[in-house]
Amino acid sequence: MTLNDLKIQLYADGADKAGILDLYSKPYIKGLTTNPTLMNKAGIKDYEAFSKDILQTVKAKPISLEVFTDDLVDMKRQALKIASWGSNVYTKIPITNSVGASCLPLIKELGKEGVKLNVTALLTLKQVQGVAEALNPAVPSVVSVFAGRIADTGVDPVPMVRACGALLEGQPKAELLWASTREVLNIFQAQDAGCAIITVPHDILGKAAKMLGNDLTALSLDTVKMFAKDAAAAGFKL
C-alpha cells in the first residue's frame, strides 16, 4: 500500500510555498487547501500576492482559498474576487462569521452565481444539513467537516462523518472533505467513512509517505535502536 493506491483524494494543507509546489508535483496529491491561520504562521503579509504567486504554478489541480472578513457584504466581494483568480479556485466560506452570524444566505447567493465553494469549519450535523440545503446542485462544491476537532473533544467523528455523507446525497456535485487531520490513520478512517477528500498537513503527508506499509516487527527494532542510540549519546550510566 502506498499513497498512490488510495481511493480517497489527498489534498495538501499548508501555506509554505516550497512545500506547496513540491506536493503539487506529486501524482498522489489531487488538490490543495490553505487558510488565514496557516498563512499567518508562514509569515505571509500580502494575501493576494501570495495567492496569485502560487496560482502561477497551481493550475491543474483544485485549490481552496479563504475569505477573511466578518461583514457579509464584504465577504461576497472577497469571494467573487478570489473566485476570479482561476477556474481551479474554490472559495472557502466559513459556516458563520466570527461573531456567529450564519453565512448560509451568502453561500446560497454565491452558488446561484456559479461560484465553486468550499464551506468550512463545519462541526455539527445541523450545520451540514443547512449547507446541503443552500448549495447549488449544479455547481461543484466541497463540504469540509472538521473531524479532527470533533475527535479532540473526545467524540468519535466517524459516525457523524458517515451521517454527513447521507445528508449530502441530494448534492451530486458536493464532495465531503475530512478536515483537521491529526494522524496518518485519519486518512483510512476518512476513506472508510465515505469521504471524497481528506486535507492533510504537509508534515503528516511526509510521515504517511515514509511510514505507510512499514513492517511492524522491523519498526519495533528501529524503535529499540533509537532508544539505545539516544541513551549512548546522553552518556547514561547506572
Side-chain angles (χ1 to χ4, degrees), residues 24-211:
Y24 174 72
S25 70
K26 306 292 187 187
Y28 56 79
I29 296 298
K30 306 303 183 185
L32 303 105
T33 58
T34 189
N35 62 53
T37 296
L38 292 171
M39 287 184 171
N40 183 50
K41 286 180 179 177
I44 294 160
K45 300 301 180 185
D46 189 325
Y47 181 96
E48 183 170 351
F50 173 79
S51 300
K52 287 184 173 180
D53 182 33
I54 293 298
L55 288 166
Q56 291 297 307
T57 301
V58 178
K59 295 180 177 181
K61 298 177 183 180
I63 182 169
S64 293
L65 300 167
E66 189 165 346
V67 297
F68 49 88
T69 178
D70 272 339
D71 182 86
L72 295 180
V73 173
D74 195 42
M75 193 180 289
K76 182 175 183 179
R77 180 192 66 81
Q78 286 188 359
L80 292 172
K81 185 174 186 178
I82 290 168
S84 74
W85 293 342
S87 60
N88 63 322
V89 174
Y90 281 66
T91 304
K92 285 178 90 170
I93 303 288
I95 185 62
T96 70
N97 66 8
S98 71
V99 294
S102 175
C103 294
L104 287 175
L106 175 58
I107 289 165
K108 196 165 189 175
E109 282 181 39
L110 291 169
K112 285 181 178 178
E113 295 192 27
V115 177
K116 289 185 280 192
L117 298 175
N118 179 337
V119 185
T120 191
L122 297 161
L123 278 92
T124 72
L125 288 174
K126 182 178 179 181
Q127 289 174 333
V128 175
Q129 178 66 56
V131 172
E133 294 169 359
L135 290 173
N136 183 343
V139 178
S141 61
V142 173
V143 179
S144 294
V145 176
F146 278 52
R149 286 186 178 250
I150 294 169
D152 287 344
T153 71
V155 175
D156 180 1
V158 173
M160 180 184 160
V161 170
R162 285 201 180 100
C164 291
L167 291 174
L168 292 170
E169 285 179 356
Q171 287 289 347
K173 294 196 174 184
E175 294 181 293
L176 180 61
L177 181 151
W178 178 297
S180 62
T181 297
R182 304 293 195 235
E183 58 184 347
V184 175
L185 176 63
N186 296 156
I187 296 171
F188 296 91
Q189 290 175 313
Q191 182 170 267
D192 291 345
C195 291
I197 303 166
I198 182 168
T199 185
V200 187
H202 294 183
D203 59 338
I204 298 178
L205 282 167
K207 182 186 287 188
K210 178 183 177 183
M211 301 291 290

